[in-house]
Amino acid sequence: MPLTRRTLIAVSLSLTFAFTPTIVFAASPTPAKGEHGMVVTAQHLATEVGVDVLKKGGNAVDAAVAVGYALAVVYPNAGNIGGGGFMTVRMKDGRTTFLDFRERAPLAATKTMYLDKDGKPIKGASLDGYLAVGVPGSVAGFEMAREKFGTLPRQELMAPAIAYAKDGFVLNQGDAASFAGGAERLAKDPAAAAIFLKKDGKPYGIGEKLVQPDLAASLSAISDKGPDAFYNGAIADEIVKASGAKGGILAKPDFEQYAVRELKPVTCSYRGYEIISSPPPSSGGVIICEILNVLEGYPLSYLGAGSAETVHVMVEAMRHAYVDRNSALGDPDFVDNPVSRLLDKAYAKDIRDKIDPFRAGVSKELMPKGFGESKETTHYSIIDKDGNAVAVTYTLNGSFGAGVVADGTGILLNNEMDDFTQKPGVPNLYGLVQGEANAIQPKKTPLSSMSPTIVTKDGKPFMVIGSPGGSRIITITLEVIVNVIDHGMDIQQAIDAPRIHHQWLPDTVYVEPFGLSPDTEKLLAGMGYHLDLSDQIWGQAAGILVGGKSLAQIEKGGGARYNGAIDSRAAAGEALGY
Ligand code: GLY
């Protein structure tokens, strides 16, 4: 029998293949080049802040801290000090760590706090206003990162952010677009509207300057006194006061008791590369690894980028992994996460054995379990002259978070509480069905999908990658890795390439508009898939490839040391090397 693609995929169910990638040429700009360092963020001024820190001799963690504070000023829809996030670090000596500075539920939180007396979810309660706010972690996280791995004083790292808040910055087209998107939400809170909207109630436009004096004062206080200014001082007092006055439950002990967790990253191997990514309370690293373990058994390079067969096996791997995500994962202080079972290569083979090579799976036939995420977050990737690599994803959850600012602080607060299960089995705002492992409890962290990831090869950094995108963060990050390793794309092509996503429920393959050819769509429909090409939210990945812009260039030699790519979907972003 001739070895056709169809027969090959059937055979591949039980075999592991390792093919040399074919080289594809997607239409994308050339990645940014650098020999000494690279910073990739969703906002060009923040990128420049990071590169300046590296040029002054700071390391990648110093730059990550400075960028984190800068984004809180120049990218306020997701950059923040009123939210939380994750940082994956790999130092030049091979040490790796993961800082969890994600939000925690307030002490007064209860499992049913977003349900009415009939047990039905109250519309908007977990998304809008102070009741939606989790205890913020970013300030504590940045300080722990700086103290443990940084080299420069806090004041030096925070100075650019303070300057942009005090003196203002001029909006470009990408900045203006994100402000326009948040105008309606921000108008509902007088303190937020006073900062982010003009006197006529309109958002700031291209060429106009946004000045944030209250935020400058809050940042200056943190710069001078450290995290105490946020957690034990006037800032916490103001937030607690506003929360109490406006229907929230935040109390001073929530702030006083907040602590960053240093955790061991999740790791796995994929075709000879090591993936270092986020452990619970993120589902990101575990689910990326689970999907990669399944995909390792298929010859993706041979099947080709965007082919019906590649989409089929990817969707099936996603379907199975997202069921596990929904049912099994949660805050490790509250839930026993079965990480080693989910990462077992034998478990991946069991999943492959269940995948019909010719037909779509059916989500309803898999155990119904839950999960939850949102769509507005930001990711940045940094590497320095010594090869220290940092991947940070942090968030307010929704765009501009809960849309509220406590008077005088200038700090937008998150609505991360929406990432918890409000009621098992009931889809959240984004149609996601969540489970018991992610139920609300005081001091618990909601399950996340954020996946700041570092990939190594032969003990050396190979890729730094991550993205916003809610539940799609996982598949976006995964697809960039697969596009580089299996399909031979350069880092910019891999990030720009059209995306697909499946998350178990709804049982729909989301496809980026024009992502697949009509013939491919027909083949997939014939296999039983329901495709949705209408959705526009596909994240904004930020990545770095080391040693060349693509695998082919790395193997040939002669490529730039650092190759950076910001997603072409990120209108205000920039990759900048030096
Ligand atoms: N709120 C987005 C996430 O944590 O995944």
Side-chain angles (χ1 to χ4, degrees), residues 210-489:
L210 176 68
V211 186
Q212 301 173 73
D214 287 348
L215 182 58
S218 291
L219 289 168
S220 296
I222 297 165
S223 173
D224 291 347
K225 301 192 194 101
D228 261 3
F230 187 92
Y231 292 94
N232 293 306
I235 296 175
D237 289 338
E238 286 304 326
I239 295 173
V240 167
K241 191 167 103 190
S243 173
K246 296 179 183 171
I249 54 171
L250 290 165
K252 200 68 189 296
D254 289 317
F255 287 82
E256 289 160 356
Q257 292 177 27
Y258 185 88
V260 181
R261 282 183 289 201
E262 186 171 9
L263 302 168
K264 200 165 158 307
V266 158
T267 58
C268 63
S269 66
Y270 180 65
R271 303 196 202 280
Y273 295 83
E274 189 189 28
I275 315 294
I276 302 159
S277 192
S278 48
S282 179
S283 58
V286 177
I287 300 305
I288 286 174
C289 283
E290 185 177 338
I291 297 172
L292 287 174
N293 283 344
V294 174
L295 295 179
E296 208 172 32
Y298 298 103
L300 294 188
S301 171
Y302 178 81
L303 299 175
S307 71
E309 286 142 326
T310 291
V311 173
H312 171 55
V313 294
M314 289 187 74
V315 167
E316 293 310 316
M318 290 172 189
R319 186 195 308 278
H320 282 266
Y322 271 87
V323 176
D324 292 333
R325 179 203 186 281
N326 303 348
S327 62
L329 301 180
D331 183 331
D333 286 352
F334 293 78
V335 176
D336 200 5
N337 291 286
V339 174
S340 40
R341 173 160 181 269
L342 297 181
L343 298 190
D344 193 335
K345 300 270 185 196
Y347 179 62
K349 181 177 177 310
D350 288 348
I351 292 176
R352 283 196 296 275
D353 288 345
K354 289 186 191 133
I355 297 175
D356 182 326
F358 308 116
R359 296 290 308 161
V362 178
S363 288
K364 272 191 301 204
E365 290 171 5
L366 301 179
M367 285 296 289
K369 296 152 187 175
F371 80 136
E373 285 314 321
S374 79
K375 296 180 176 173
E376 192 68 44
T377 295
T378 190
H379 174 84
Y380 53 97
S381 296
I382 299 179
I383 194 160
D384 66 22
K385 64 180 177 1
D386 296 319
N388 299 306
V390 179
V392 177
T393 316
Y394 78 143
T395 186
L396 287 168
N397 192 28
S399 190
F400 298 99
V404 292
V405 174
D407 278 331
T409 65
I411 299 170
L412 268 166
L413 294 166
N414 69 84
N415 58 358
E416 214 69 55
M417 292 295 283
D418 189 62
D419 273 354
F420 276 118
T421 303
Q422 283 144 57
K423 183 173 181 175
V426 174
N428 75 354
L429 183 71
Y430 305 103
L432 303 173
V433 182
Q434 310 185 75
E436 275 294 340
N438 190 30
I440 305 172
Q441 282 178 258
K443 288 185 94 168
K444 190 174 174 184
T445 293
L447 186 63
S448 172
S449 292
M450 293 190 289
S451 311
T453 299
I454 297 167
V455 183
T456 63
K457 181 85 193 326
D458 303 327
K460 297 196 186 104
F462 172 75
M463 189 192 295
V464 189
I465 188 68
S467 180
S471 57
R472 298 176 192 197
I473 290 171
I474 294 170
T475 52
I476 293 167
T477 307
L478 167 96
E479 284 168 41
V480 177
I481 293 170
V482 165
N483 285 344
V484 168
I485 294 178
D486 292 283
H487 299 310
M489 295 185 201

Side-chain angles (χ1 to χ4, degrees), residues 61 91 95 97 99 143-150 262:
V61 176
M91 300 303 283
R95 270 179 302 153
T97 194
L99 300 185
E143 187 62 4
M144 185 191 268
R146 192 191 66 79
E147 280 179 343
K148 287 205 145 193
F149 302 101
E262 186 171 9

Side-chain angles (χ1 to χ4, degrees), residues 553-574:
Q553 198 178 63
I554 293 169
E555 277 161 19
K556 210 167 88 190
R561 184 176 178 209
Y562 296 139
N563 303 265
I566 183 67
D567 210 313
S568 295
R569 300 164 186 85
E574 186 177 14

